[in-house]
């Protein structure tokens, strides 16, 4: 394929085809979340802060499906009891006389289990649970994590529990090579503060190793892909429920190629949603390096800030006190169901077969030097983007103008007053192309100015 593309480029250059470039948006368009060959006994979850609370309640609600969990700065199950006031006092910064009561959490667990709203707590017995509380955490006091430890020991075999509370970390996701100083207090009003602290302590790696056992050393160079998928596949109108339009997943190469892999869900905390910290959590929290070397797909569901009365959540927290759903801590909670549906999609089995061709290619406008294009998304597994080709004859030869991950683009640096023909091919993460889309044509507008000089073509 590469040889044929280069041959087409040379032939087109000889015919005088002008240089073309692609102009497109800066962010990749979401693609459908793929399915993989997932070990059903290899699914786990972790989280920080509100993500820690969410990870803990997810483990309790879906204990029959999970191998274990890592909780950083969270607390006991159903701690808030549906009250934001309780969430912001007893469950985060309690007085010495009023910390969370593990017995109330145990009672809630038994009550929900008796109603079939969560999995039977007996499934928790063999779970692997990793707990972390920074000794300088002033957002979720260490005593709250102590109470989570007490609750966990009621159900989980104590030999399966690890609790680290000696690291002098402030409230943050702790890494061994990225972020602010270990005792840095996050500032909600500082847009550059991402609540990731460098404590020379690899929390993500230790979580994965505790849950899965000894791991291969972390990858020094990532070969996998962070994919962007639409969370609306899993929850209707996600923003109305304080979930982001987009979610992400890190997929190692071996998983893309059909190897049996495991799935770990990594939940960010409050104020760590993408609009505020960009890609910092999914890139720098420390999971991907371990995952890449150990065939672990890391799922990064995402929240967003919300100021609606139906889901008032201005800091983009996960729902662990009931701001969106009174059943937030059960299997029927909206955000809980959405995350479980994402896991089920990932674990639905590796699909074999070629990627589908894009459809409905059409032009949407032109100027003297540009033609705008749009098309419908391709089907098929492991979609990475689209290669755009153009020619001055419907029969070709077609040269590669460039690649985009969007569903529309603009080809520029074209000659004025000239008719061009276009086709699009989808390309997967292993660089294989689909068959051609339909062809579309458009003429650039005429101009008194001479056409741009021929300076070559964009290589593939």
């Amino acid at each position: 394929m590469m040889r044929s593309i280069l041959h087409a480029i040379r032939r087109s250059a000889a015919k005088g085809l002008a240089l073309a470039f692609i102009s497109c948006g800066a962010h990749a368009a979401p693609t459908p979340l793929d399915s993989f060959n997932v070990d059903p006994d290899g699914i786990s979850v972790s989280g920080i802060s509100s993500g820690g609370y969410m990870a803990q309640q997810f483990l309790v609600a879906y204990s029959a499906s999970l191998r274990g969990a890592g909780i950083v700065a969270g607390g006991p199950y159903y701690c808030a009891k549906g009250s934001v006031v309780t969430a912001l006092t007893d469950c985060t910064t309690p007085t010495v006389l009023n910390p969370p009561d593990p017995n109330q959490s145990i009672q809630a667990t038994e009550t929900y289990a008796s109603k079939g709203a969560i999995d039977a707590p007996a499934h928790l017995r063999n779970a692997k649970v990793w707990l972390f509380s920074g000794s300088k955490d002033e957002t979720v006091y260490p005593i709250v994590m102590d109470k989570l430890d007490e609750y966990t020991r009621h159900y989980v075999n104590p030999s399966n529990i690890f609790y680290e509370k000696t690291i002098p970390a402030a409230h943050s996701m702790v890494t061994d090579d990225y972020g602010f100083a270990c005792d840095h207090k996050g500032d909600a009003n500082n847009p550059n503060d991402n609540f990731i602290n460098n404590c020379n302590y690899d929390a993500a790696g230790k979580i994965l190793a505790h849950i899965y056992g000894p791991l291969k050393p972390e990858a020094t160079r990532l070969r996998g892909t962070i994919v962007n998928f639409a969370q609306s596949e899993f929850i209707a109108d996600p923003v109305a429920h304080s979930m982001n339009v987009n979610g992400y997943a890190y997929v190692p190469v071996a998983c893309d190629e059909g190897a049996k892999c495991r799935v770990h869900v990594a939940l960010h905390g409050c104020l760590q949603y993408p609009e505020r910290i960009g890609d910092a959590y999914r890139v720098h929290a420390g999971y991907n390096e371990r995952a890449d070397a150990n065939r672990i797909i890391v799922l990064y569901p995402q929240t967003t800030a919300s100021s609606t009365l139906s889901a008032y959540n201005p800091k983009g927290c996960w729902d662990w006190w009931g701001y969106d759903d009174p059943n937030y801590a059960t299997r029927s909670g909206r955000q809980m169901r959405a995350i479980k549906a994402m896991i089920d999609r990932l674990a639905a089995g590796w699909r074999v077969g070629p990627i589908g061709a894009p459809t409905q290619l059409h032009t949407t406008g032109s100027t003297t030097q540009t033609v705008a294009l749009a098309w419908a998304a391709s089907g098929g597994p492991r979609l990475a983007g689209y290669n755009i080709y153009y020619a001055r004859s419907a029969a070709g030869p077609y040269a590669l103008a460039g690649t985009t991950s969007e569903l529309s683009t603009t080809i520029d640096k074209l000659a004025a007053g000239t008719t061009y023909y276009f086709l699009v091919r989808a390309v997967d993460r292993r660089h294989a192309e689909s068959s051609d889309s339909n062809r579309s044509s458009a003429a650039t507008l005429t101009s008194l100015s001479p056409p741009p000089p021929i300076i070559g073509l964009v290589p593939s």
Side-chain angles (χ1 to χ4, degrees):
M1 174 60 70
M2 185 62 69
R3 183 176 297 173
S4 65
I5 290 173
L6 292 174
H7 183 58
I9 289 173
R10 294 188 189 100
R11 289 172 60 194
S12 299
K15 287 179 173 287
L17 193 60
L19 173 67
F21 289 96
I22 278 188
S23 302
C24 61
H27 300 288
T31 61
L33 186 60
D34 285 317
S35 300
F36 299 91
N37 180 13
V38 169
D39 179 357
D41 295 324
I43 299 170
S44 61
V45 63
S46 67
I48 160 73
S49 191
S50 74
Y53 265 105
M54 189 71 169
Q56 201 278 331
Q57 72 187 27
F58 197 85
L59 172 66
V60 173
Y62 293 103
S63 59
S65 304
L66 297 180
R67 185 184 182 97
I71 296 97
V72 178
Y77 180 75
Y78 201 61
C79 181
K81 299 184 285 292
S83 167
V84 66
V85 174
T86 302
L88 296 177
T89 54
D90 297 2
C91 300
T92 51
T93 56
T95 63
V96 175
L97 299 178
N98 198 35
D101 182 355
N103 291 320
Q104 291 183 0
S105 294
I106 292 168
Q107 182 179 355
T109 304
E110 298 298 328
T111 298
Y112 278 131
S114 68
K115 295 178 179 179
I118 62 174
D119 289 350
H123 293 294
L124 290 167
R125 180 65 181 170
N126 294 319
K128 296 294 186 70
V129 179
W130 190 94
L131 307 175
F132 181 94
S133 178
S135 64
K136 294 188 176 183
D137 193 330
E138 297 180 4
T139 301
V140 177
Y141 287 179
I143 193 172
V144 177
M145 284 293 293
D146 291 343
K147 296 305 179 181
L148 170 58
D149 182 46
E150 289 182 37
Y151 167 85
T152 303
R153 289 176 185 277
H154 180 82
Y155 290 110
V156 177
N157 184 334
S159 65
N160 288 349
I161 302 170
F162 177 85
Y163 185 15
E164 174 58 68
K165 54 180 178 178
T166 65
I167 307 297
H171 189 72
S172 60
M173 182 62 191
V174 171
T175 78
D176 64 350
D177 62 0
Y178 176 85
F180 293 88
C182 190
D183 60 356
H184 172 75
K185 296 179 183 179
D187 182 358
N189 296 316
N190 180 357
N192 296 316
D193 201 324
N194 55 28
F195 297 88
I196 302 175
N197 286 2
N198 180 1
C199 294
N200 297 313
Y201 187 82
D202 180 17
K206 292 181 183 297
I207 289 170
L208 296 176
H210 179 74
I211 292 172
Y212 295 121
L215 299 176
K216 295 178 181 179
E218 65 181 29
T220 57
R221 181 178 68 87
L222 294 179
R223 298 176 58 243
T225 307
I226 293 181
V227 299
N228 174 9
F229 65 91
Q231 293 194 146
S232 57
E233 287 191 86
F234 307 99
I235 181 169
D237 194 3
V239 174
H241 304 292
S242 206
M243 287 190 70
N244 214 286
V245 172
N246 297 329
Y248 303 88
Y250 181 78
V251 181
V253 170
C255 305
D256 253 347
E257 295 177 343
K260 180 171 283 189
C261 293
R262 296 170 287 198
V263 171
H264 183 78
V265 183
L267 301 169
H268 64 74
C270 302
L271 297 170
Q272 290 182 316
Y273 53 92
E275 291 87 352
R276 188 177 181 278
I277 69 167
D279 65 2
Y281 197 82
R282 62 184 181 270
V283 171
H284 296 297
Y287 293 96
N288 299 343
E289 290 76 11
R290 290 287 182 181
D292 192 79
N294 292 277
R295 296 183 178 180
I296 301 171
I297 298 167
V298 185
L299 176 66
Y300 294 100
Q302 301 290 307
T303 65
T304 191
S306 172
S307 59
T308 64
L309 293 178
S310 60
Y312 186 71
N313 180 33
K315 294 186 177 181
C317 304
W318 289 100
D319 190 7
W320 64 275
W321 69 84
Y323 69 75
D324 181 57
D325 190 337
N327 299 311
Y328 66 92
T330 72
R331 291 190 308 250
S332 65
R334 290 189 190 95
Q335 292 183 2
M336 299 275 277
R337 283 187 288 123
I339 295 171
K340 182 60 165 60
M342 295 174 196
I343 295 171
D344 291 344
R345 170 69 65 78
L346 288 171
W350 189 71
R351 292 186 292 163
V352 180
I355 194 167
T359 59
Q360 302 176 42
L361 174 64
H362 59 285
T363 58
T364 59
S366 61
T367 68
T368 56
Q369 291 190 330
T370 69
V371 172
L373 304 169
W375 57 92
S378 170
R382 295 168 288 285
L383 175 65
Y386 301 91
N387 289 340
I388 318 301
Y389 294 87
Y390 75 139
R392 284 185 176 175
S393 164
Y398 284 81
L400 181 67
T403 298
T404 180
S405 57
E406 303 285 354
L407 295 177
S408 61
T409 194
T410 298
I411 313 296
D412 61 14
K413 303 274 178 84
L414 299 173
T418 304
T419 298
Y420 289 92
Y421 298 83
F422 303 92
L423 63 86
V424 179
R425 296 173 187 157
V427 59
D428 70 16
R429 292 195 290 275
R430 303 278 63 81
H431 312 296
E433 285 190 315
S434 73
S435 56
D436 297 348
S437 70
N438 61 294
R439 286 163 170 74
S440 183
S441 64
T444 52
L445 302 180
T446 59
S447 171
L448 296 178
S449 302
I454 299 170
I455 58 174
L457 293 169
V458 177
S460 60

